[in-house]
Amino acid sequence: AGHSFSATSGDEPATEHEIMLLGFRANRPHTLTLTLTDASGAEIEAAQLTMQSPELPWETAPVDIRVADTDRMEPGLHLIPLFRWFGTVTDTTYGQILVVDAEGEIVWLYEAPHTLVEVKLLENGNILYMRDFTMTEIDWLGNEINHWHPTRTVRNAADGSLGVDVDTFHHDVLEMPSGNLLGLSTEVREIENWYTSETDPDAPRETRNVVGDVLYEIERDGTVVNEWKFFDLIDNYRIGYDSLNTEFYAQQYDGILDEPAPDWTHMNGIDYDPETNTALISSNHLSTVMQLDLTSGELDWLLGDTRDWGDAWTDLLLEREDENMIWSYHHHAPKWTPAGTLLLYDNGAARARPPDPPAGPLEMFSRAVEYAIDEDTGTVREVWSYGGPGSDIFVSPFISEADWLPQTENILLTNGGSFRLPDGVQLDLSNPEAIASLQEQVRLWVELVEVTHTSPAERVWELAIDDPRWGWTAFRTERIPRLNPKGQ
């Protein structure tokens, strides 16, 4: 109760007006007052009407605010894209985007008959989201503005969809200052003498089709401007846990490849610096962040566990200033901060690289971690972290994100893929048989946490989406200033 907002149709006098009204709360009466302003600035109340807003859909994810220190929080609203799970099986027929206020009340909701993964706000104020290896732009009324599909693998593209000459769209895309889109795609190459085991270094090798990542730049009409192929940039024989997994792209390449191909690098996050024309790229399976110079097409450095890189990459590896610094593993969402440091979400899955045994469930932890990189000396040091040893212990082994919030300099964590069993015991993610036997009981849930950028950090906001009916996950979430940021 007591919420109010105003909107204007524009600054210029006119005889016809359109106003997009957003931000109604569900299932309550609202009073709308229409006021006209004449050329002299005089206001006339032209009409007043009341309306009853509808109830939220029954599928809506429950939002539970557990901490809300609003005086220390970053102002704004929170945008949360969600996709649903039944046990450990993704529901590909339904997704939601919620926008909630600091108290957890839903002020905007979008439903779709498919999964909703990465969601970004565009410079024009519209929303860009990724789904089933395609991309869609909508306005705040849910109208589809554009749709893009990769022509090499998508069959039966929707009418009007813009075809792009790439294999896939996956995980991340961002808008460059030019208006072009920078995102991740894939290609398949036949690699000789490739691995058949992650844990047995003496296992026989064989020639295999392998999926590798591609960074692309496209114009808004779908024209490919540039591509940077990581088969040509990094050591093809450096693998990590899950590099042999064939599930993620199996359906996309079905009918194109004779059998599913291993997902070698599984890149999942990018950030772009227009001043240097460089991109940060995160490889989940290699547990490595790399900086790519888009002008030269060459790598500047590699950040992560330095073991097992070929001689050609030795000079690119950032060395730890402190040998006790903890490397990040299976991370997501690297980005530069205004302080010039690098912030990422360290998921901590496995917390090892082959052939070392992966960590068990009680040894795993996730965290937000901030690094200072000295390119002149080729070194890296950890300057701040939240989560893990000596802090709150939480585990979100996949998806997830850490964001720097500009006004407060707080850090926002999206623990987007946490597992829960009915008895509260953490699932042993290193045991596939256990996962298979318990998949109907497993429930995925989301926790959003805003903490101060201090040591120790303090929680100032905590939101949970923990639905007893089924699971929800959030690939990434965003704090936004308001609904329809570019609207009047």
Side-chain angles (χ1 to χ4, degrees):
H3 292 284
S4 64
F5 59 92
S6 61
T8 176
S9 64
D11 297 327
E12 298 298 324
T15 56
E16 294 185 3
H17 302 268
E18 289 187 0
I19 302 176
M20 184 185 296
L21 297 179
L22 304 170
F24 295 99
R25 273 59 176 174
N27 193 31
R28 68 189 67 177
H30 292 77
T31 300
L32 280 69
T33 302
L34 176 63
T35 302
L36 301 178
T37 305
D38 65 21
S40 68
E43 292 186 352
I44 304 168
E45 184 175 308
Q48 189 173 87
L49 58 99
T50 59
M51 58 163 283
Q52 175 76 20
S53 57
E55 295 184 2
L56 294 168
W58 70 275
E59 298 96 338
T60 302
V63 175
D64 179 20
I65 295 293
R66 298 175 176 176
V67 177
D69 187 347
T70 54
D71 290 338
R72 294 198 292 169
M73 283 179 58
E74 183 83 4
L77 302 170
H78 209 80
L79 184 148
I80 310 171
L82 296 167
F83 52 108
R84 186 166 64 177
W85 296 70
F86 299 116
T88 56
V89 178
T90 308
D91 177 9
T92 61
T93 67
Y94 188 72
Q96 291 183 343
I97 304 174
L98 308 181
V99 177
V100 303
D101 62 17
E103 290 76 33
E105 187 149 27
I106 295 170
V107 299
W108 189 85
L109 181 144
Y110 175 79
E111 294 183 285
H114 48 68
T115 55
L116 288 160
V117 190
E118 173 67 330
V119 174
K120 291 278 176 69
L121 294 185
L122 297 172
E123 184 62 28
N124 62 12
N126 288 340
I127 297 169
L128 178 69
Y129 68 74
M130 304 189 75
R131 48 165 286 203
D132 56 23
F133 300 99
T134 68
M135 299 189 296
T136 303
E137 177 185 358
I138 60 172
D139 66 18
W140 284 88
L141 295 178
N143 300 308
E144 183 173 305
I145 308 301
N146 283 305
H147 185 75
W148 297 266
H149 70 276
T151 58
R152 298 180 193 170
T153 57
V154 167
R155 305 87 167 169
N156 304 318
D159 291 343
S161 181
L162 298 168
V164 182
D165 186 22
V166 296
D167 280 21
T168 59
F169 302 130
H170 71 88
H171 281 93
D172 203 0
V173 62
L174 56 81
E175 184 178 23
M176 304 173 78
S178 64
N180 289 354
L181 300 177
L182 186 70
L184 293 169
S185 184
T186 52
E187 64 169 325
V188 177
R189 293 192 189 180
E190 189 176 81
I191 306 296
E192 296 180 353
N193 196 36
W194 218 69
Y195 301 92
T196 59
S197 173
E198 294 172 351
T199 56
D200 181 4
D202 299 321
R205 304 282 190 97
E206 63 184 22
T207 298
R208 303 191 70 176
N209 281 323
V210 177
V211 177
D213 281 283
V214 177
L215 182 71
Y216 66 79
E217 178 186 351
I218 63 171
E219 295 176 349
R220 298 294 263 271
D221 65 0
T223 302
V224 177
V225 176
N226 281 305
E227 288 183 293
W228 298 268
K229 300 180 178 182
F230 288 92
F231 275 123
D232 300 329
L233 291 168
I234 58 176
D235 185 351
N236 292 189
Y237 293 93
R238 209 256 189 185
I239 63 169
Y241 278 110
D242 285 332
S243 285
L244 271 61
N245 191 301
T246 61
E247 294 179 6
F248 192 81
Y249 296 107
Q251 184 174 356
Q252 200 67 9
Y253 284 105
D254 184 35
I256 297 172
L257 301 176
D258 293 336
E259 61 181 10
D263 178 12
W264 166 46
T265 49
H266 197 84
M267 291 179 175
N268 58 23
I270 52 178
D271 192 30
Y272 176 69
D273 182 354
E275 292 187 6
T276 59
N277 197 34
T278 58
L280 293 176
I281 303 101
S282 164
S283 169
N284 180 276
H285 290 175
L286 301 188
S287 296
T288 300
V289 177
M290 54 203 77
Q291 180 169 280
L292 176 64
D293 185 322
L294 302 189
T295 302
S296 68
E298 297 180 354
L299 291 172
D300 292 327
W301 45 257
L302 300 165
L303 169 63
D305 191 323
T306 56
R307 292 174 294 167
D308 305 322
W309 285 95
D311 292 343
W313 293 270
T314 302
D315 290 343
L316 295 174
L317 298 169
L318 296 174
E319 298 289 343
R320 294 177 289 188
E321 291 185 10
D322 178 357
E323 64 180 13
N324 295 315
M325 187 187 87
I326 301 171
W327 291 118
S328 59
Y329 288 94
H330 286 242
H331 41 234
H332 281 76
K335 52 182 70 71
W336 291 117
T337 74
T341 54
L342 189 154
L343 179 69
L344 60 78
Y345 190 96
D346 174 12
N347 296 81
R351 288 227 164 266
R353 55 163 289 94
D356 295 344
L362 298 181
E363 300 169 301
M364 289 171 53
F365 58 86
S366 301
R367 61 186 182 142
V369 59
E370 181 184 3
Y371 296 110
I373 293 171
D374 188 328
E375 294 193 29
D376 293 333
T377 61
T379 57
V380 59
R381 61 186 173 89
E382 181 180 314
V383 295
W384 180 88
S385 66
Y386 174 73
S391 183
D392 290 351
I393 300 293
F394 50 89
V395 181
S396 181
F398 74 121
I399 54 183
S400 306
E401 180 184 32
D403 281 339
W404 178 288
L405 300 176
Q407 293 191 39
T408 58
E409 298 187 353
N410 290 342
I411 306 297
L412 177 73
L413 286 79
T414 300
N415 302 324
S418 300
F419 289 79
R420 189 190 303 288
L421 292 174
D423 58 6
V425 174
Q426 170 68 33
L427 180 66
D428 184 352
L429 300 170
S430 65
N431 187 337
E433 293 181 0
I435 293 174
S437 65
L438 293 169
Q439 70 175 17
E440 295 303 322
Q441 301 177 55
V442 170
R443 189 167 78 241
L444 284 147
W445 66 290
V446 176
E447 181 186 46
L448 309 181
V449 180
E450 182 179 341
V451 300
T452 57
H453 190 232
T454 57
S455 297
E458 299 178 39
R459 292 192 175 206
V460 298
W461 189 63
E462 183 179 330
L463 178 152
I465 295 175
D466 193 1
D467 195 333
R469 301 170 297 175
W470 44 62
W472 294 100
T473 54
F475 181 61
R476 287 194 265 261
T477 71
E478 304 292 336
R479 186 68 50 84
I480 61 175
R482 61 190 181 95
L483 295 171
N484 190 25
K486 292 294 180 178
Q488 295 295 328

